[in-house]
DNA sequence: GTGGTCTAGACCACT
DNA sequence: GTGGTCTAGACCACG
């Protein structure tokens, strides 16, 4: 079973999107692999402290993106290949890096300061 | 008059919150100073391509946070001191840096790789 | 053994309720009589092409309504008297007739047209 | 504005489907015409005593069936032509008549008895 | 005011 | 237990 922890740091976007991103990031990190079983709606919902329906929405969209497969009565299952992983990788990295860089620029922070800040807070 | 540009970097959160963050970031950057005049609701709305009501909501919340003050007519004015700036600074930087760091960690990227990535994408 | 056929005419309501109604209608028609043996859950489930749990739920509610009784083993038995039959009769007929009448009225069909329609479609 | 009354007689099917059928029946009856304005989500919801979201779901499906058109900020509007009306007419009549006839048959009621019943209850 | 979306809780059918 | 659906309430953006 996939380990879900260190979750929900971004309280701005809808929860179901955060779940989607979390799964996508886990795939990139290699923690979530092809044929892995996803935790059930209820399990993940109680783990994250949200409603099962919210998890269901995330799973449903992951299914539409052909990242997982759901069957009634059975666990949801990860279905990915190298090609999909690469696409997810590119999408996430582009989004994440760009948004932080734009934020930093808007705050008038230089590249050097940004890097220092990240080094300091990485811990 | 404050310059509003390079807006809408974050399409996830409510627009009125993005406007609030934009103002807060401008304050940290030093582009927005005490006693500066905010653009009118109509002007900013057309500049950002959103509904005046949405700008109104952002201004209203900025008022409640005592960052701007509505004066006679439609003009609003920035009212901040060093203490408020510091608070905003800490809040924003902490949020932004933490969210990027968490994202990177979730993707299994090391600190060194993260810094390299930011250097490369900073342009 | 009670004959179960021509089932699933109403795909809107929960299946277990359709089973209940089916039994109730059979009672009114006189096809299901006091002390008749109900088919076992497994048998009826496979006959209707539904899950045994669904049949189980219908039987359970029929028990609570005191229309059937579970005896030793898996067999259930119909337990009704004239009074219960009358109650069921009134409930069902009122519901069914009213719903068709209301539907017809909403469609602006006159009583005469409605009767003609039923005669034509009765086959 | 379309008049909504004598509603919800069929408590078996989902509410949003009942609303859809109600609108479709009104179209057949000629009470709802092309270019008519639908009541707003909130108005109809409070009229029917249901949640605005339930009405929204019905409207959304009516939109997908190209029976109404919705635009954000504006009222929803009926968009039908003779061809659509005929299709709806055939669908509804077939469903309604068949379901009542099947129910009657299951209850062992003859055609004559069924017609008598309808005549008696029509009032 | 309008419609659109997100979150939530309860229920259903199925393994 | 599993996933799927319906109903509900609050919030958002728009006119």
């Amino acid at each position: 079973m996939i380990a879900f922890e260190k979750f929900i740091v971004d309280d701005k976007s809808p929860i179901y999107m955060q779940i989607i991103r979390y799964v996508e990031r886990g795939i990139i990190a290699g923690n979530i692999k092809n044929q892995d079983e996803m935790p059930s709606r209820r399990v993940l919902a109680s783990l994250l402290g949200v409603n099962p329906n919210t998890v269901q929405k995330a799973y449903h969209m992951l299914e539409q993106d052909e990242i997982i497969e759901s069957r009634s009565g059975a666990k949801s299952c990860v279905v990915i290949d190298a090609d999909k992983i690469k696409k997810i990788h590119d999408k996430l990295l582009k989004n994440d890096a760009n948004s932080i860089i734009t934020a930093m620029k808007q705050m008038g922070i230089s590249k050097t300061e940004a890097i220092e800040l990240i080094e300091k807070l990485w811990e």
Side-chain angles (χ1 to χ4, degrees), chain A residues 49-75:
Chain A
V50 301
N51 190 284
N53 237 333
T54 306
V55 177
Q56 153 104 355
K57 185 166 190 174
Y59 280 20
H60 182 65
M61 297 192 75
L62 285 168
E63 205 181 350
Q64 288 194 321
D65 290 346
E66 299 185 326
I67 292 173
I68 70 174
E69 270 180 6
S70 295
R71 258 188 308 267
S72 191
K75 288 267 190 82

Side-chain angles (χ1 to χ4, degrees), chain A residues 25-80:
Chain A
R25 286 170 181 165
I27 289 172
I28 291 179
N31 296 331
I32 299 176
K33 298 185 189 62
N34 192 28
Q35 300 300 331
D36 272 359
E37 261 180 4
M38 297 293 288
S40 87
R41 243 177 31 166
R42 278 172 256 267
V43 167
L44 184 51
S46 88
L47 207 61
L48 303 180
V50 301
N51 190 284
N53 237 333
T54 306
V55 177
Q56 153 104 355
K57 185 166 190 174
Y59 280 20
H60 182 65
M61 297 192 75
L62 285 168
E63 205 181 350
Q64 288 194 321
D65 290 346
E66 299 185 326
I67 292 173
I68 70 174
E69 270 180 6
S70 295
R71 258 188 308 267
S72 191
K75 288 267 190 82
S76 295
C77 184
V78 178
V79 183
I80 45 172

Side-chain angles (χ1 to χ4, degrees), chain A residues 89-100:
Chain A
H89 180 94
D90 293 349
K91 183 188 75 171
L92 283 190
L93 236 58
K94 185 162 165 294
N95 278 359
D96 285 337
N98 277 344
S99 75
I100 184 66

Side-chain angles (χ1 to χ4, degrees), chain A residues 100-117:
Chain A
I100 184 66
I101 288 171
T102 309
M104 295 284 186
K105 282 185 178 172
Q106 280 180 356
M107 288 187 281
I109 293 176
S110 73
K111 184 169 74 171
T112 319
E113 287 168 325
I115 290 172
E116 277 174 7
L117 186 65

